[in-house]
Amino acid sequence: MTDSESTDRPYSAFPVRIGLQVQPQHAPYDAIRRTVAKAEEIGVDIAFNWDHFYPLFGEPDGLHFECWTMLAAWAEATERVEIGALVTCNSYRNADLLADMARTVDHVSDGRLILGIGSGWFERDYDEYGYEFGTAGGRLDNLAETLPRIEQRWAKLNPAPTRDIPVLIGGGGEKKTLKLVAKHANIWHGFGDAETLAHKHAVLDEHCRAIGRDPGEIERSAAVGDKTPDAVGKGLLDVGSRLFTVSASGPDYDLGLLREWVAWRDEVNAK
């Protein structure tokens, strides 16, 4: 990293980290548990699930499990890896309850929880479980109301969280979502190629400066899907991404790509 890169993208100072989203679909829970254990053994930094009630692809009524009860189980079943949802749907739980759930899993895990959160989008979840779907703008407004409530509840809980629980916000909306990231988040998670993410990073930087926050405080995360580090790693790294998340779906969780990303992480961080 050059001096100019450090000045232009202060978040480039973060070390490279690798996440694995273990998609909790089409697999029995013992397969999910084994996958998380294996990922920790491989050396992944963060194990994520997601917050949905039905599979997002494949058989729509296939096997599926709930997010937060699973995270509590992962907290007991793992020792080193951080855990979290990519991402929790803001609509599904009262804000103060969610804060208390996160604080509890934070304690169960000895301080390894990341609170990933977003405004929600999967309409079937809402319809089947009786939540009002509303509009995308309305859901973002609700997220804006929820985030300070979570922060306020954390300040009241006894015992308090073991640490300042990192907040990850997912989504790339430039007028609302990235403003919320600037105000509340420790990590921003986005999608797209290097050019797209470079633009989003610049927008987020401006939102940070508008409220007097150092953009370098926010770690930049990118979903890499099924792409290899040889294909996209350098490009994403050059625009400031530092957390790279691979996805794996049931019934057979193939961790070959995860191994490639972990090895690449170690090479980059050793330089």
Side-chain angles (χ1 to χ4, degrees):
M1 182 174 65
T2 66
D3 290 342
S4 63
E5 285 177 322
S6 178
T7 300
D8 294 341
R9 294 189 291 275
Y11 35 87
S12 296
F14 283 98
V16 170
R17 300 200 294 163
I18 303 300
L20 174 69
Q21 186 185 55
V22 182
Q23 299 170 348
Q25 59 178 7
H26 307 306
Y29 181 70
D30 61 347
I32 295 171
R33 183 180 62 245
R34 288 195 303 270
T35 300
V36 173
K38 189 63 176 179
E40 184 171 48
E41 179 183 319
I42 290 169
V44 76
D45 295 290
I46 308 169
F48 294 109
N49 59 8
W50 66 26
D51 191 18
H52 295 289
F53 305 130
Y54 295 92
L56 295 188
F57 50 88
E59 168 53 48
D61 292 312
L63 299 176
H64 200 279
F65 291 96
E66 193 275 331
C67 169
W68 274 89
T69 44
M70 181 181 297
L71 288 177
W74 288 6
E76 287 282 13
T78 57
E79 296 180 356
R80 177 197 58 79
V81 66
E82 289 190 289
I83 58 175
L86 194 64
V87 290
T88 303
C89 177
N90 170 67
S91 306
Y92 300 161
R93 300 163 191 86
N94 170 277
D96 294 86
L97 172 61
L98 178 59
D100 202 345
M101 292 166 59
R103 183 279 309 254
T104 299
V105 176
D106 166 65
H107 275 265
V108 174
S109 67
D110 293 325
R112 293 182 288 117
L113 177 77
I114 294 171
L115 176 59
I117 193 166
S119 59
W121 64 273
F122 189 41
E123 189 168 4
R124 185 185 181 190
D125 283 347
Y126 287 79
D127 292 345
E128 294 270 6
Y129 278 59
Y131 299 108
E132 181 181 352
F133 188 59
T135 65
R139 293 192 299 277
L140 278 167
D141 291 341
N142 289 338
L143 179 61
E145 295 172 0
T146 289
L147 290 165
R149 285 180 59 188
I150 289 173
E151 294 164 356
Q152 292 160 14
R153 180 55 56 186
W154 280 341
K156 296 177 182 178
L157 289 169
N158 184 18
T162 67
R163 62 172 178 169
D164 291 333
I165 297 174
V167 173
L168 177 155
I169 294 178
E174 297 178 12
K175 293 182 179 180
K176 289 187 176 183
T177 302
L178 293 182
K179 280 186 177 180
L180 293 176
V181 174
K183 188 172 182 180
H184 297 283
N186 306 95
I187 307 168
W188 173 65
H189 182 75
F191 301 85
D193 60 17
E195 182 179 2
T196 298
L197 291 177
H199 170 72
K200 300 292 185 181
H201 290 171
V203 173
L204 176 54
D205 293 350
E206 287 304 310
H207 286 317
C208 288
R209 294 185 183 108
I211 62 172
R213 185 177 185 190
D214 177 4
E217 295 176 358
I218 302 175
E219 184 178 15
R220 311 304 165 99
S221 171
V224 298
D226 60 358
K227 296 181 176 63
T228 67
D230 287 344
V232 300
K234 186 179 185 303
L236 294 174
L237 193 71
D238 286 347
V239 301
S241 299
R242 286 300 180 270
L243 172 56
F244 302 83
T245 298
V246 181
S247 298
S249 181
D252 299 314
Y253 291 100
D254 183 349
L255 300 186
L257 184 60
L258 176 67
R259 293 179 186 276
E260 292 185 43
W261 278 98
V262 168
W264 177 80
R265 173 202 67 192
D266 293 344
E267 292 175 5
V268 172
N269 285 341
K271 293 178 181 178

